[in-house]
Amino acid sequence: MSNRTPEIPVKLDTRSVDALLKKLAKTLSLKLKVDLDGKNPIDVINQSLKSLKPLAQVLDLPVNSSEILQKMANSILEVDTAMSNLQQVTGKTSVQYEDFLARAGNAAISLGRDMTNYINQTTDWAKRGFSIDSSAKLAETSSIYSNISGIDDQTAITDLSEAMEAFNITASDSISIIDLYAKLGNEFSASSSGIGEGIRNSASTLAMTGNSIEQTAALLAGNTDMSQNTGELGNVLKIAALRLAAMKEPLSEIGAEYKDIESVSKNQAKIYSLTNGHVNILNAQNGALKDTYTILKEVAESWNYVNDSQKDDLLTLMFGKGNTDQGASVLRSFQSGQVQQAYQSTKTSEGAAGQEQAQFLDSMESKIQQFQTQFQELSTTVMDSDFFKGAIDTGTAFLDVITEIIDKTGVLPSLLGALGGVSFFKNLDEPEKHRVSA
């Protein structure tokens, strides 16, 4: 038993505990369709738990009253911690905070994700400057991306954030990014996560040099030679874009060759000469530099009209001496038509992420997670009472509250004795001792 003294005395009467038990019984009866009429709350709780036993081992759910109380306490503390972090970041009112929590459970269940995980993702998006509503929407998008690609949540958030910022995509349209990745990942050899990594590495530069996200994704997905290393391909494309635009300082900052680059006009003259007049990298109407996708496509189309020496010089000029092999691979992907096919596929990508997500939700992994998340939601519903929250809000530590209840009132043991709850509360107060004895 802990020797800590509660900061604030806790007084709890029988009616408070009885109200908690009745609330738990009512919630369980609704969730599991157990008849509540005229029954003792403890009987309803135990009957509800019995109905879960066949699934308990697979779903990692409690099967007796002691376990359910322990797991509920753990769930509510995890969710409360996540929500506290969100509130600190957003600075929203208690009403807005509670409104979000009321929706978070259903959102997490519909996504096949853990409730705490969903809240934490919302917080991460809020840290990036988005409103709580936009952050919640983005948490849905990053969850879907993580689900269908197998990447971790932080990587999903980073990939999405880089693409959104570079290509000026709003939170409400963020799912279009995942549609793109899912569509190309299904139809070409690059994976959706690989395309995301490649875009993360190149997005800001390719967007700045006039390329769309569709063109960038097509450059990555259409290259079969580097389909297993799209992250590296993204870096190669970034270097090519910077060299064509004669941006020496950014090249220097990333450790790429730049001393052989002079200016855009010099690049134009060299490429025009090396392609025997077939490629002009400047737009004929306004003299602006063409986007990287178009330049590479036109150079690839001129390949049959140039000799080997000219090809070597072109690859060195566009990609740098250290990347000529990768550069040749990029041009071959245009010559094979793969990049163009990928670009056409981007035009019909809408809904692709939803289709992939539907398949994920039909998986055993998702079904198990949804069931576990429903338990989290149930826990937050039942524990949302003065029994716990009121005491914690006054500044008293959770474990001290439980100790105070047991030591000072004697009410909880008598009411929860049939449930096996006393040992649960005692063990919470002495976690190290509990682990040794187990």
Side-chain angles (χ1 to χ4, degrees):
M1 184 66 66
S2 171
N3 294 322
R4 291 171 294 172
T5 302
E7 299 175 16
I8 299 176
V10 177
K11 293 183 180 181
L12 190 69
D13 58 22
T14 304
R15 288 176 296 179
S16 299
V17 179
D18 186 51
L20 176 67
L21 291 174
K22 286 180 178 178
K23 188 171 186 180
L24 173 56
K26 182 177 180 181
T27 305
L28 283 170
S29 69
L30 291 172
K31 292 280 184 182
L32 301 175
K33 296 181 171 54
V34 175
D35 184 17
L36 180 64
D37 292 341
K39 291 184 178 179
N40 183 292
I42 292 177
D43 292 336
V44 173
I45 294 170
N46 284 330
Q47 183 180 347
S48 300
L49 292 174
K50 286 179 182 179
S51 70
L52 294 176
K53 282 188 177 181
L55 294 172
Q57 187 173 5
V58 175
L59 301 177
D60 188 29
L61 289 174
V63 294
N64 59 54
S65 302
S66 173
E67 290 177 2
I68 197 171
L69 288 171
Q70 183 171 11
K71 197 166 183 72
M72 289 181 79
N74 290 339
S75 292
I76 190 61
L77 286 172
E78 289 172 0
V79 171
D80 186 68
T81 299
M83 289 297 295
S84 295
N85 291 337
L86 177 62
Q87 191 173 31
Q88 289 175 9
V89 172
T90 61
K92 294 298 181 181
T93 65
S94 296
V95 173
Q96 292 169 313
Y97 172 86
E98 293 299 331
D99 179 61
F100 173 82
L101 178 59
R103 293 181 278 114
N106 285 336
I109 291 169
S110 69
L111 291 165
R113 301 306 299 270
D114 178 90
M115 190 171 171
T116 304
N117 170 285
Y118 170 75
I119 297 169
N120 286 338
Q121 286 193 68
T122 303
T123 301
D124 285 341
W125 282 111
K127 287 178 180 179
R128 295 169 185 265
F130 293 95
S131 69
I132 189 168
D133 289 337
S134 291
S135 296
K137 176 66 177 177
L138 287 165
E140 293 181 13
T141 305
S142 54
S143 291
I144 292 172
Y145 181 31
S146 178
N147 287 348
I148 68 175
S149 67
I151 60 176
D152 63 85
D153 294 334
Q154 196 56 54
T155 300
I157 291 171
T158 302
D159 283 2
L160 272 171
S161 179
E162 290 288 338
M164 290 173 63
E165 183 176 358
F167 297 104
N168 196 28
I169 298 171
T170 64
S172 59
D173 290 332
S174 59
I175 193 63
S176 66
I177 300 172
I178 313 307
D179 282 337
L180 202 64
Y181 297 175
K183 175 75 171 180
L184 295 177
N186 276 333
E187 297 183 358
F188 296 85
S189 53
S191 65
S192 57
S193 60
I195 294 168
E197 181 186 3
I199 286 185
R200 180 179 75 229
N201 292 347
S202 61
S204 60
T205 297
L206 266 69
M208 178 177 60
T209 49
N211 301 275
S212 67
I213 188 172
E214 291 83 5
Q215 289 175 319
T216 306
L219 283 164
L220 294 163
N223 190 315
T224 55
D225 293 341
M226 299 184 67
S227 62
Q228 302 306 309
N229 202 350
T230 46
E232 179 188 347
L233 178 56
N235 288 325
V236 170
L237 293 171
K238 174 169 66 176
I239 290 171
L242 291 172
R243 289 179 65 85
L244 288 167
M247 301 180 73
K248 299 182 184 182
E249 186 174 345
L251 284 167
S252 174
E253 290 173 354
I254 62 174
E257 297 176 79
Y258 69 93
K259 291 182 179 179
D260 60 320
I261 295 296
E262 298 180 70
S263 64
V264 172
S265 61
K266 290 287 186 179
N267 284 345
Q268 151 62 16
K270 289 179 181 179
I271 292 174
Y272 189 79
S273 174
L274 288 169
T275 60
N276 298 319
H278 283 89
V279 178
N280 184 343
I281 68 172
L282 302 180
N283 190 301
Q285 294 180 332
N286 57 21
L289 182 69
K290 294 176 182 177
D291 60 77
T292 313
Y293 178 100
T294 299
I295 294 172
L296 295 175
K297 177 176 174 290
E298 290 180 355
V299 170
E301 290 170 347
S302 74
W303 218 235
N304 292 332
Y305 303 102
V306 299
N307 60 40
D308 290 343
S309 176
Q310 290 171 316
K311 289 176 181 178
D312 289 341
D313 289 344
L314 281 166
L315 290 171
T316 300
L317 175 60
M318 294 189 296
F319 297 97
K321 290 181 181 179
N323 296 316
T324 54
D325 288 344
Q326 296 93 324
S329 173
V330 171
L331 297 184
R332 282 196 301 272
S333 66
F334 271 109
Q335 291 170 317
S336 68
Q338 283 290 98
V339 174
Q340 295 91 323
Q341 289 177 33
Y343 182 65
Q344 288 302 313
S345 289
T346 66
K347 298 178 180 180
T348 57
S349 64
E350 185 176 358
Q355 294 173 10
E356 289 286 297
Q357 172 70 357
Q359 292 179 25
F360 171 80
L361 291 176
D362 199 40
S363 68
M364 181 61 72
E365 175 190 357
S366 174
K367 298 296 184 187
I368 291 173
Q369 183 59 69
Q370 285 179 314
F371 208 102
Q372 292 172 341
T373 304
Q374 284 182 322
F375 184 87
Q376 284 183 305
E377 184 188 31
L378 179 146
S379 301
T380 59
T381 301
V382 171
M383 296 289 193
D384 183 21
S385 66
D386 292 339
F387 181 72
F388 286 111
K389 298 289 287 181
I392 293 173
D393 288 342
T394 60
T396 307
F398 175 79
L399 297 181
D400 285 333
V401 173
I402 300 302
T403 302
E404 186 73 8
I405 292 170
I406 294 173
D407 290 347
K408 296 294 180 67
T409 71
V411 172
L412 197 60
S414 63
L415 283 180
L416 298 185
L419 295 173
V422 180
S423 61
F424 148 67
F425 284 121
K426 301 276 186 180
N427 289 334
L428 267 182
D429 204 32
E430 296 179 321
E432 297 298 329
K433 179 179 177 181
H434 178 56
R435 282 197 289 270
V436 172
S437 63

